[in-house]
Amino acid sequence: MLKTSLLGRDHNSEPNSLDDGSKSLLESSSNTTSENVHPTEEASGLSMMQTVIHLLKCNIGTGLLGLPLAMKNAGLLVGPISLLAIGVLTVHCMVILLNCAHHLSQRLQKTFVNYGEAMMYGLETCPNAWLRTHSVWGRYTVSFLLIITQLGFCSVYFMFMAENLQQMVEEAHVTSNTCQPRKMLMLTPILDVRFYMMTILPFLVLLVFIQNLKMLSIFSALASITTLGSMALIFEYIVQEIPDPSNLPLMASWETFLLFFGTAVFTFEGVGLVLPLKNQMKHPQQFSFVLYSAMSLVIILYVCLGTLGYMKFGSKTQASITLNLPNCWLYQSVKLIYSTGIFFTYALQFHVPAEIIIPFTISQVSESWALFADLSVRTALVCLTCVSAIVIPRLDLIISLVGSVSSSALALIIPPLLELITFYPEDMSCVTIAKDIMISILGLLGCVFGTYQALYELIQPINHSIANSTGVYE
């Protein structure tokens, strides 16, 4: 018997890849009227400006606010240079992914090839017989990594909202109308940050119960507005009265640099959306120009915020720059506004893994149990992201761990390997082969050692009165 999901999808078919979830999310953000129309068949696609906005939106999140601490972990000189290099490599890998998908779609005469399918079709034509036989695992691997990454983003959002809510609530009695630089007193918090996570949990569960894509597009717009306003106020503060940076180290230790790598890769969140975005454009041939333009703005924003934030706060830089803002009503409102934007963004990030996991789950139960199964899985996934944040109550380490484990694989390791298996039968140049191997090795080393360092930091004993302290005025 045909089972239809609450989003109108057929669940007797093979589960879609994660990119299909990304595609439907982009369709909702673009106010499309049909949820099942293939992007290339739409009467009107995304304009250049709409595509730029989507690229900016999917690359500007909580990772951006952690860049000042990332600069501290790398050094005032090494940090900006390394972030610029990682940004250039990431954009290059996005272009590689686009070229491979375009080549495979032409070879197979398909109108659209997503990230997972590109990996699968590439393996089907590679010289190795074992890889050809197991090519479907290429798609499964990419989809699994994308799901882990998206749920990792959601865990980071939990921690971000909880830490900012904790600071706002516990400093409310000393918040003033005068915005002065924050002077830190190490105080044991009244309530543990985990309490604030549990407080947020039921509201997020209710939020993800909303399955209407048009409603999600409203949340997307609200998140964009609140993020833009908050970023303007943050920049307005950090550019004022920057202390002399001569006492800041130009280069940090290699151990902390590994944490920088994970955070830097984590911030480039949009690698899984470049293919659906290109396919939804009115003029897809213009996407390369749009990608370079938008990502140039993103990289400039990252370098400027990370460097200026570290120069402004120095050794007192915290996991999120919002935690360093003055304890006055203006900047407390910035935390509230940005946290509100992250709250709505949670639903957008959650929608992507939900679109691949829930249809498969519903296909295993009778139609009368479909709604219960749908809501149960949504609740379980939200609780999973909450538990992950509770187990690892360190925002900087969550960001670095997610970036090292899955983001590095998707952004730096897989695209060069995909180019090798896609174009190797067609006489690739030795320079291209060497370049792809070097990028993949760099990504693999960052993945392994970055993950090791993040896990090592997690098992180290910490002074909880310092780690969870809030800053007040003396």
Side-chain angles (χ1 to χ4, degrees):
M1 186 175 189
L2 182 66
K3 299 183 181 71
T4 304
S5 76
L6 300 175
L7 289 173
R9 299 228 174 158
D10 178 5
H11 298 297
N12 281 347
S13 60
E14 187 176 7
N16 295 325
S17 76
L18 188 73
D19 294 287
D20 293 328
S22 304
K23 180 178 69 178
S24 64
L25 176 57
L26 290 170
E27 289 169 354
S28 71
S29 301
S30 306
N31 296 319
T32 53
T33 57
S34 174
E35 295 170 7
N36 294 317
V37 176
H38 196 281
T40 56
E41 298 171 351
E42 293 175 357
S44 62
L46 296 175
S47 66
M48 289 182 63
M49 183 55 63
Q50 288 174 322
T51 308
V52 169
I53 292 174
H54 279 303
L55 281 170
L56 294 176
K57 185 192 307 176
C58 65
N59 281 283
I60 297 177
T62 54
L64 172 65
L65 301 180
L67 285 176
L69 181 62
M71 292 298 182
K72 177 184 174 183
N73 289 332
L76 189 59
L77 176 63
V78 175
I81 295 175
S82 300
L83 182 60
L84 177 62
I86 290 175
V88 171
L89 284 178
T90 301
V91 175
H92 177 66
C93 288
M94 290 179 180
V95 174
I96 289 176
L97 180 60
L98 290 169
N99 292 338
C100 291
H102 178 71
H103 182 81
L104 290 168
S105 63
Q106 286 191 326
R107 179 195 296 175
L108 301 171
Q109 297 182 340
K110 292 180 176 291
T111 54
F112 177 74
V113 175
N114 62 41
Y115 198 165
E117 290 172 342
M119 194 65 189
M120 179 179 67
Y121 295 141
L123 289 173
E124 286 179 353
T125 59
C126 72
N128 187 283
W130 188 88
L131 291 177
R132 290 198 303 270
T133 304
H134 299 83
S135 60
V136 69
W137 285 99
R139 192 188 74 175
Y140 293 158
T141 300
V142 170
S143 296
F144 175 76
L145 289 172
L146 282 166
I147 290 174
I148 294 299
T149 301
Q150 296 299 124
L151 293 180
F153 292 158
C154 291
S155 294
V156 170
Y157 293 168
F158 248 113
M159 191 67 212
F160 176 85
M161 290 185 288
E163 284 197 346
N164 282 272
L165 181 61
Q166 180 189 45
Q167 194 179 68
M168 285 186 291
V169 171
E170 300 194 4
E171 293 182 356
H173 66 287
V174 292
T175 302
S176 66
N177 294 321
T178 305
C179 297
Q180 298 292 334
R182 178 178 292 274
K183 298 179 181 180
M184 299 298 296
L185 288 178
M186 298 306 164
L187 300 177
T188 301
I190 299 173
L191 295 172
D192 191 272
V193 69
R194 297 172 180 86
F195 170 82
Y196 293 94
M197 294 183 196
M198 297 303 297
T199 303
I200 298 169
L201 176 60
F203 296 99
L204 284 175
V205 170
L206 293 175
L207 179 67
V208 301
F209 281 174
I210 299 174
Q211 303 167 47
N212 185 286
L213 295 179
K214 293 183 180 179
M215 184 66 70
L216 286 180
S217 69
I218 297 175
F219 292 151
S220 177
L222 289 173
S224 300
I225 294 171
T226 55
T227 300
L228 180 63
S230 300
M231 288 306 305
L233 288 173
I234 290 173
F235 264 105
E236 184 270 337
Y237 176 71
I238 64 175
V239 297
Q240 299 179 26
E241 302 177 1
I242 297 178
D244 182 10
S246 59
N247 61 331
L248 299 177
L250 299 179
M251 180 186 303
S253 65
W254 70 269
E255 293 95 340
T256 56
F257 180 82
L258 293 175
L259 297 177
F260 160 84
F261 175 84
T263 303
V265 177
F266 176 91
T267 55
F268 293 95
E269 303 177 11
V271 63
L273 296 179
V274 291
L275 290 177
L277 271 176
K278 178 184 178 181
N279 212 57
Q280 284 202 6
M281 284 193 69
K282 292 179 182 177
H283 307 289
Q285 64 274 15
Q286 298 176 339
F287 186 75
S288 294
F289 172 77
V290 172
L291 178 66
Y292 284 124
S293 301
M295 294 308 297
S296 296
L297 292 175
V298 168
I299 293 173
I300 292 172
L301 177 63
Y302 285 179
V303 173
C304 289
L305 181 66
T307 305
L308 292 174
Y310 178 40
M311 291 171 62
K312 176 72 173 181
F313 303 115
S315 60
K316 297 180 179 179
T317 304
Q318 298 199 47
S320 170
I321 194 174
T322 55
L323 301 175
N324 284 107
L325 296 176
N327 186 26
C328 64
W329 291 112
L330 174 62
Y331 291 105
Q332 293 289 59
S333 67
V334 169
K335 299 172 192 174
L336 179 61
I337 293 172
Y338 206 101
S339 296
T340 302
I342 292 299
F343 178 82
F344 291 133
T345 305
Y346 184 100
L348 301 174
Q349 298 284 10
F350 181 89
H351 179 81
V352 180
E355 276 294 284
I356 184 64
I357 296 174
I358 292 176
F360 173 78
T361 303
I362 293 180
S363 67
Q364 307 302 309
V365 301
S366 63
E367 191 170 358
S368 60
W369 286 91
L371 179 60
F372 177 79
D374 185 293
L375 299 182
S376 297
V377 171
R378 291 177 184 274
T379 303
L381 289 176
V382 176
C383 291
L384 176 63
T385 60
C386 180
V387 170
S388 300
I390 289 175
V391 172
I392 313 175
R394 298 264 313 264
L395 180 61
D396 55 332
L397 295 184
I398 293 180
I399 291 176
S400 183
L401 187 61
V402 174
S404 297
V405 172
S406 54
S407 297
S408 61
L410 293 170
L412 296 176
I413 300 175
I414 295 179
L417 294 179
L418 178 60
E419 185 175 41
L420 286 173
I421 62 177
T422 301
F423 293 102
Y424 185 79
E426 302 178 16
D427 297 327
M428 294 178 65
S429 68
C430 295
V431 175
T432 303
I433 294 174
K435 179 262 298 179
D436 287 342
I437 293 175
M438 289 179 62
I439 294 176
S440 292
I441 291 176
L442 175 64
L444 181 61
L445 291 175
C447 174
V448 173
F449 290 107
T451 301
Y452 166 80
Q453 188 61 32
L455 293 175
Y456 176 80
E457 293 290 331
L458 284 172
I459 64 176
Q460 297 305 303
I462 61 173
N463 187 336
H464 293 280
S465 64
I466 295 178
N468 294 329
S469 64
T470 58
V472 301
Y473 288 111
E474 295 177 345

